[in-house]
Amino acid sequence: AALWLERGEGVYMIDADGKRYMDMNSGAMCLHLGHTPPPEVLDAVREQLDTLAYCYPGVSVTPVRARLSALLADILPGDIDAFLFPSTGAEANEAAVRIARLYTGRHKVLTRYRSYHGATATTLAMTGDLRRWPAEHGAHGHVHFMDPWPYSFRWGESADEVAHNNLAYVRELLDAEGPHTVAAIVVEPVTGTNGLIRPPPGYLRGLRELCDEHGIMLICDEVMNGFGRTGRWFGFEHSDGVIPDIVTGAKGINGAFLPLGMVGLRAPIAEHFRTHAIGVGSTYNSHPVVLASAYGALRHMLKNDVVGHAQRMESVMVDGFNTLLERHASVKQARVIGMFGGFDVQKNRRGGVVAQGE
């Protein structure tokens, strides 16, 4: 049964009887600042409500949008310095795919089987796991490929061998599909709900090189990774020097206190769309009150080194997960990066499955 919740406080959710539940899942992996909004967020939201509570983004620009965009341009590496602000991560990924298709003039989008990209028609079709099955009718242009770490076999014994062989497979897949037909490769830099899986060293750089070779856009879905969850501002920053063409985000951008997504574009792409329409506008895009919440949240994160704290807490997470592995036969394997962690369960130490799929 669903919990009847009345309040939130720090890491706790509190029901109508005053019972406290520790939120081990951080909501939907989104409450980067906990259940208590910091003063910077509350003050920014109140001030924006008092000055300009709403304006239609298709015909206006607001000071808070300019301030948030400038702050994000400082936080993100490279020349990712232009931003769209839809209401959700799914909308952000939908917009990113539309931008890639319009910019390249191509149609196909490659995503991995162990992935989740959202619940709209396009983003569910992009998704690799079983959630896409009911949504595949009518979807077109979506090609899925195997991850570096599949369930039932290995690409090699060492991480280097895994990366090399999987990238060779992706290259052959591109040859079969026709690289001139592929608009984008979309990946979660660290796989989220499909296992909390970090790629082998060199993997993201290898995808970047394949994309550069064929004029394909590399899109990093940072909806779950982004804004400190992995111990860096963005998951792709664990692959030193790799800059995606488009970055999407949501969740942690404002601690999920209000609905907000983000699409970040590299400068040449942004320049192209100054004279070419994208067609991603909606009523709540760039909502000034929501943008104010993000500006306040990011200022709080910078002031209090929230991202650095997530990185420093990784060792605590590792120790805790190792304790679970030692104590419980039902814990098969655990993975942690920053404050992003999860474990696999099994029936017994012989590896028996907990439930057999039909």
Side-chain angles (χ1 to χ4, degrees), residues 103-175:
Y103 186 78
T104 63
R106 305 172 183 178
H107 190 61
K108 291 178 184 174
V109 176
L110 271 60
T111 51
R112 298 183 299 195
Y113 278 107
R114 295 183 76 166
S115 68
Y116 179 74
H117 296 289
T120 64
T122 295
T123 55
L124 262 183
M126 292 163 62
T127 292
D129 71 26
L130 54 82
R131 283 172 283 192
R132 82 176 189 279
W133 295 348
E136 288 185 305
H137 59 280
H140 46 87
H142 298 281
V143 179
H144 296 90
F145 61 99
M146 296 296 296
D147 307 73
W149 306 111
Y151 282 113
S152 58
F153 71 94
R154 293 179 63 88
W155 292 100
E157 294 305 315
S158 68
D160 288 344
E161 191 177 3
V162 166
H164 177 272
N165 289 340
N166 183 262
L167 288 167
Y169 149 74
V170 175
R171 176 180 291 279
E172 184 163 327
L173 176 66
L174 283 172
D175 289 341

Side-chain angles (χ1 to χ4, degrees), residues 327-341:
R327 290 183 179 177
H328 301 284
S330 59
V331 179
K332 180 179 182 179
Q333 188 184 65
R335 295 167 296 278
V336 175
I337 177 170
M339 290 292 286
F340 206 21

Side-chain angles (χ1 to χ4, degrees), residues 3-67:
L3 297 175
W4 184 277
L5 298 176
E6 288 196 347
R7 291 189 299 120
E9 181 182 296
V11 298
Y12 294 100
M13 305 174 291
I14 305 167
D15 68 16
D17 297 321
K19 185 176 180 180
R20 298 160 73 87
Y21 303 84
M22 183 176 284
D23 187 357
M24 299 294 289
N25 207 48
S26 187
M29 287 72 75
C30 59
L31 289 163
H32 288 34
L33 303 177
H35 286 271
T36 305
E40 293 91 336
V41 173
L42 295 173
D43 292 344
V45 168
R46 288 191 190 106
E47 181 180 350
Q48 192 62 50
L49 283 168
D50 287 340
T51 53
L52 181 66
Y54 176 81
C55 63
Y56 176 54
V59 296
S60 60
V61 178
T62 58
V64 69
R65 183 176 178 180
R67 289 196 299 269

Side-chain angles (χ1 to χ4, degrees), residues 72-83:
L72 286 168
D74 286 341
I75 291 172
L76 278 149
D79 59 348
I80 302 171
D81 58 8
F83 303 93

Side-chain angles (χ1 to χ4, degrees), residues 237-253:
E237 292 182 293
H238 292 279
S239 300
D240 292 339
V242 174
I243 307 295
D245 298 294
I246 302 176
V247 178
T248 62
K251 295 182 185 285
I253 189 172

